[in-house]
Structure formats: structure tokens, C-alpha cells
Amino acid sequence: MAETAIKHGKSPADGLAAAFTRHWFAIFSILYGAFVFFPFLAPLLMKLGWDQWGSAIYSFYSYVCHQLPQRSWFLFGAQPSYSLAAIQAAWQNASDPMILRQFIGNADLGWKVAWSDRMFSMYGGVLFVAWIWYPLRKRIPTLPLWGLVLLGLPMLVDGGSHLISDFAGLGQGFRDPNVWLAQLTQNGFPQSFYAGDMLGSFNSWMRLITGGLFSLGLVWFAFPFMRDSLEK
């Protein structure tokens, strides 16, 4: 194969570049898809008793995600998510995020996915939006920079307000009870919607939605440039 490429005036590197150009989206889907879904392998490995391999995944993804257990999902347990109080009762009665993030789960609560919900929404959203964008790529114009900023702004506000709230201590800031929201909506929703970070709460929904909006903006803005440079 290399000899054929050389006879036609092309080196093996040219052949690889051409192959990448033709199949760039499939390569992206495989490699980036593995990056997105590997955190879900960690709880499975822990469930199977392969602790060393599961711990390695948690350790690797700890560099790109805070992995706070009250803002993460759990597999193979009684519930898909748990309150801060439940995590503290099972792990340590601490509000230090550096301590809480070390809790990966147990046989009763299940095992934590190595992504927080926001990180999965953001990183996973890029993959899902890209899969929708690709078949329509020749008909969708590039999103202007102001559009990316607009779609990223909700995550900046939500994440920033979480950060400011957490300065008062995890579970102690204004984003934990969301009294302002209860007053604004005249307590029209169950208390479980307003308080805490569990799946289905306002905080959880906001992390998922704003992460997804940012992913939409990122793909819509950046992927047309890859299309134009690779699909000539």
C-alpha cells in the first residue's frame, strides 16, 4: 500500500492525511465518544470488583471535573443521586469539597459516575449536538461569535452563582435552599425542586440545561470551521 502511494507521488503520511480528511467525523465520534462515556465505565468496574481499574478512571477524570458526589449520578444503588446530607452520612460529615469529591460510592449507595452532571451535559452535549449537526452541516451557517457568547452566558451565570454560593460552605449558600426562587414562584413546586442538588432539583436542571446550551453554541460555532478546512 505504501509502495502504491509512493508510485503515485504520495507518501504514506499523505495517505493518512487523506484518510483523516475523509473520515474525520467518524474518528472524532469514536475518540471523543470514548472520552465522554468512559466515566460511566468506572461504576461498572467498581461493581464488578475491579477497583484498581475503576479508581484509575476516577483519578484521570478528577483533573477535568470536580466530581462532587452530590452533583453526580450513581449507578447500581438505591437512587440515581443523593443529597449532600446523605453523602456526608455515608462518607464524612464534612463540607470541604476536596474531601467530599473523594467519595466514589459504596455497595449500598452505588458507585459514582466519574462526571458531574454539568460536565456530562457539557462534554456529552458536544457529541450529541455534533451528531445532529453533521447530516445538516452543508445547510447550517456558522454561528457568529456573539451567538456563542449568548449561549454560553447562562452557564457562566449558573456556574458563577454556584461558586459564589459555595463560598458560604457547601449546603449553606443561597443556591442550596433557593429561597429567592420559591418566593418568585410562590412555592408552586415541591420543596425537593427548590432545595439541594439532587436529580430533578432546580439546581440540577440548570446545570444540565446550561451545559447543553453551551455545547450547542460550541458545535454550531466551531464545527463549521472544521467542515470548511477538511471537506474541500
Side-chain angles (χ1 to χ4, degrees):
M1 183 175 178
E3 293 178 358
T4 302
I6 293 173
K7 288 179 181 179
H8 288 82
K10 293 182 179 181
S11 68
D14 292 332
L16 289 174
F20 176 78
T21 299
R22 289 195 305 271
H23 305 293
W24 73 270
F25 191 77
I27 295 170
F28 161 79
S29 295
I30 293 170
L31 297 181
Y32 186 75
F35 172 73
V36 167
F37 287 106
F38 251 64
F40 288 86
L41 187 60
L44 175 60
L45 293 172
M46 300 302 294
K47 175 69 174 179
L48 294 174
W50 298 349
D51 296 9
Q52 185 175 1
W53 292 104
S55 297
I57 294 177
Y58 288 118
S59 178
F60 175 81
Y61 282 89
S62 68
Y63 291 100
V64 291
C65 178
H66 59 63
Q67 296 181 350
L68 287 173
Q70 74 276 18
R71 297 174 187 171
S72 302
W73 299 327
F74 283 71
L75 301 181
F76 311 113
Q79 299 176 189
S81 65
Y82 296 94
S83 67
L84 176 62
I87 297 296
Q88 290 171 329
W91 175 234
Q92 293 187 36
N93 187 17
S95 58
D96 184 346
M98 299 305 294
I99 295 177
L100 287 171
R101 74 195 299 252
Q102 298 173 29
F103 179 70
I104 62 174
N106 57 40
D108 295 325
L109 272 63
W111 304 99
K112 179 178 70 174
V113 175
W115 280 136
S116 69
D117 51 6
R118 188 194 302 279
M119 291 297 101
F120 176 69
S121 176
M122 185 174 69
Y123 287 104
V126 168
L127 183 64
F128 294 132
V129 174
W131 283 344
I132 296 172
W133 170 85
Y134 186 74
L136 306 172
R137 66 192 183 282
K138 295 182 180 179
R139 289 180 282 173
I140 298 178
T142 303
L143 180 72
L145 180 59
W146 63 261
L148 173 61
V149 173
L150 189 64
L151 288 170
L153 186 60
M155 189 174 75
L156 179 64
V157 172
D158 184 64
S161 61
H162 263 298
L163 179 63
I164 294 171
S165 176
D166 288 344
F167 283 146
L170 292 178
Q172 304 298 317
F174 65 93
R175 282 300 300 268
D176 186 72
N178 286 313
V179 174
W180 62 274
L181 181 62
Q183 294 174 344
L184 186 65
T185 58
Q186 298 182 346
N187 290 289
F189 297 94
Q191 183 60 27
S192 59
F193 173 76
Y194 297 107
D197 292 300
M198 290 180 63
L199 185 64
S201 66
F202 171 77
N203 288 340
S204 174
W205 276 114
M206 286 301 98
R207 291 193 296 270
L208 293 173
I209 292 171
T210 59
L213 288 174
F214 175 73
S215 299
L216 171 63
L218 186 61
V219 171
W220 196 354
F221 173 79
F223 274 54
F225 291 103
M226 291 189 283
R227 173 201 62 197
D228 295 342
S229 63
L230 294 172
E231 299 182 7
K232 296 179 180 179

